[in-house]
Amino acid sequence: MKGLLLVTHSNMCQGIKESCEMIVGNQNNMKTVSLKEEGVEIFKNELESTLNDMLKMYSDIIILTDIPNATPYNECYRFKLSHEKDNIFILSGMNLAMVIELAIYSSSDMEVEELLTQVLETGKMSILKVWLEEVFTKLI
């Protein structure tokens, strides 16, 4: 089983985890760490502690962050580089569809690279612009 870590600003990661669990059930392999007003040092310590615990439990860890090149992403990347881990994978730009996909397939024997490719595709496909005219046309 792969470990999943959601890392975001504020409480976004907890909300996405709760929404995911409402849809697919409890996810014992999914953890969250959020950057809050207390500051970056507290966040870094919590992130490092969580990742170190997860490394003891899972052969692979997939981290999803909210936006690329912001503090949550940067600190995850810094951890990966400083620990020289090739079993930590980072995706950024998370949405609920991606998290649900990971929750469903994290216990499968699917190769990590294949899973990451599938999750990225799911994330892209879940982003749509709905035109008002289309909605009305379909209702008539």
Side-chain angles (χ1 to χ4, degrees), residues 48-134:
E48 185 159 335
S49 175
T50 301
L51 282 168
N52 282 325
D53 289 345
M54 291 179 79
L55 284 168
K56 295 172 191 169
M57 298 170 57
Y58 303 104
S59 58
D60 295 309
I61 298 171
I62 300 171
I63 303 172
L64 278 82
T65 69
D66 48 5
I67 53 177
N69 303 314
T71 301
Y73 169 88
N74 291 341
E75 291 305 321
C76 291
Y77 191 65
R78 189 180 330 266
F79 181 92
K80 177 180 172 59
L81 290 178
S82 67
H83 291 78
E84 297 181 6
K85 297 291 184 183
D86 59 359
N87 64 334
I88 295 176
F89 305 88
I90 304 171
L91 300 177
S92 194
M94 102 168 77
N95 61 39
L96 181 57
M98 294 169 71
V99 175
I100 290 170
E101 188 91 6
L102 278 173
I104 291 170
Y105 291 104
S106 64
S107 61
S108 75
D109 59 356
M110 184 183 295
E111 292 294 322
V112 175
E113 289 300 327
E114 181 183 356
L115 176 58
L116 296 177
T117 300
Q118 181 174 317
V119 167
L120 286 172
E121 189 60 32
T122 296
K124 291 174 192 174
M125 289 176 56
S126 70
I127 300 169
L128 303 173
K129 179 177 182 179
V130 178
W131 295 91
L132 192 54
E133 295 82 19
E134 290 177 31

Side-chain angles (χ1 to χ4, degrees), residues 1 5 7 12 14 19 27 32 36 42 47 54 63 66 79 81 86 91 98 103 111 119 140:
M1 179 171 286
L5 180 60
V7 184
M12 178 182 170
Q14 288 90 351
S19 296
Q27 299 300 305
T32 63
K36 297 181 181 167
I42 291 173
L47 179 65
M54 291 179 79
I63 303 172
D66 48 5
F79 181 92
L81 290 178
D86 59 359
L91 300 177
M98 294 169 71
E111 292 294 322
V119 167
I140 298 176

Side-chain angles (χ1 to χ4, degrees), residues 6-15 32-38 43 66 72:
L6 312 181
V7 184
T8 65
H9 294 86
S10 193
N11 296 318
M12 178 182 170
C13 54
Q14 288 90 351
T32 63
V33 176
S34 56
L35 173 59
K36 297 181 181 167
E37 295 293 328
E38 294 95 19
F43 167 75
D66 48 5

